[in-house]
């Protein structure tokens, strides 16, 4: 019960910060797979939150990142990079840091954006270990 309360608290705090800026909502398929929210802090940065199921950790996972954007690195494809946290709830609380790297493509003349992300990281709880996450996502920008 304590783990669920901690996870919900983290999700609520992050959601308040996210919903105060221009917003994109979508899904991310990969590790983990689930709901993805992107809040644009400027034209050159965004915060991303994933609330999803991790198949490798067999847990409910929340990932929150702050990312900078380098526009038009490969034609119309932007490159984003940043840092963030990983919180997972299973038998024990999983806690770690992550460093997402992504290619982002805004589909012309639509509010839809696609991205391909890889995020190396480190888990600190319940033990220290290397972690790798990422996936393919689609976001509808409001």
């Amino acid at each position: 019960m304590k783990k669920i309360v901690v996870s919900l608290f983290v999700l609520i705090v992050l959601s308040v910060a996210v919903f105060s800026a221009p917003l994109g909502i979508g899904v991310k398929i990969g590790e983990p797979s689930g709901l993805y929210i992107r809040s644009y802090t400027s034209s050159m940065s965004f915060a991303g939150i994933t609330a999803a199921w991790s198949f490798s950790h067999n847990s409910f996972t929340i990932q929150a990142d702050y990312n900078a954007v380098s526009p038009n690195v490969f034609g119309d494809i932007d490159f984003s990079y940043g840092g963030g946290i990983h919180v997972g709830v299973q038998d024990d609380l999983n806690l770690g840091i992550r460093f997402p790297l992504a290619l982002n493509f805004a589909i012309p003349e639509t509010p839809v954006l696609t991205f391909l992300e890889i995020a190396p990281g480190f888990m600190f709880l319940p033990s220290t270990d290397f972690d790798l996450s990422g996936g393919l996502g689609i976001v509808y920008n409001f």
Side-chain angles (χ1 to χ4, degrees):
M1 179 70 177
K2 182 179 175 184
K3 295 171 208 164
I4 294 172
V5 171
V6 169
S7 296
L8 289 175
F9 176 76
V10 169
L11 186 61
I12 289 168
V13 169
L14 293 172
S15 296
V16 168
V18 164
F19 288 119
S20 63
L23 191 64
I25 296 177
V27 295
K28 183 164 65 170
I29 306 298
E31 177 50 37
S33 293
L35 177 66
Y36 179 78
I37 300 171
R38 183 176 280 198
S39 175
Y40 296 92
T41 54
S42 75
S43 63
M44 302 300 286
S45 64
F46 65 89
I49 296 177
T50 305
W53 184 258
S54 170
F55 294 98
S56 67
H57 297 292
N58 197 27
S59 65
F60 174 73
T61 300
I62 298 173
Q63 296 174 336
D65 308 309
Y66 182 79
N67 298 270
V69 176
S70 294
N72 304 322
V73 173
F74 303 108
D76 291 337
I77 298 175
D78 299 338
F79 176 69
S80 62
Y81 53 94
I85 62 168
H86 163 100
V87 178
V89 179
Q90 63 177 151
D91 294 335
D92 294 322
L93 184 66
N94 295 327
L95 181 62
I97 58 174
R98 59 192 308 266
F99 303 98
L101 306 168
L103 297 174
N104 305 279
F105 177 69
I107 299 172
E109 300 180 27
T110 70
V112 178
L113 175 126
T114 61
F115 65 91
L116 179 62
E117 175 190 82
I118 186 166
F122 300 97
M123 300 301 288
F124 296 113
L125 289 175
S127 62
T128 305
D129 197 7
F130 177 75
D131 190 42
L132 186 64
S133 62
L136 178 64
I138 187 164
V139 177
Y140 182 89
N141 293 308
F142 295 93

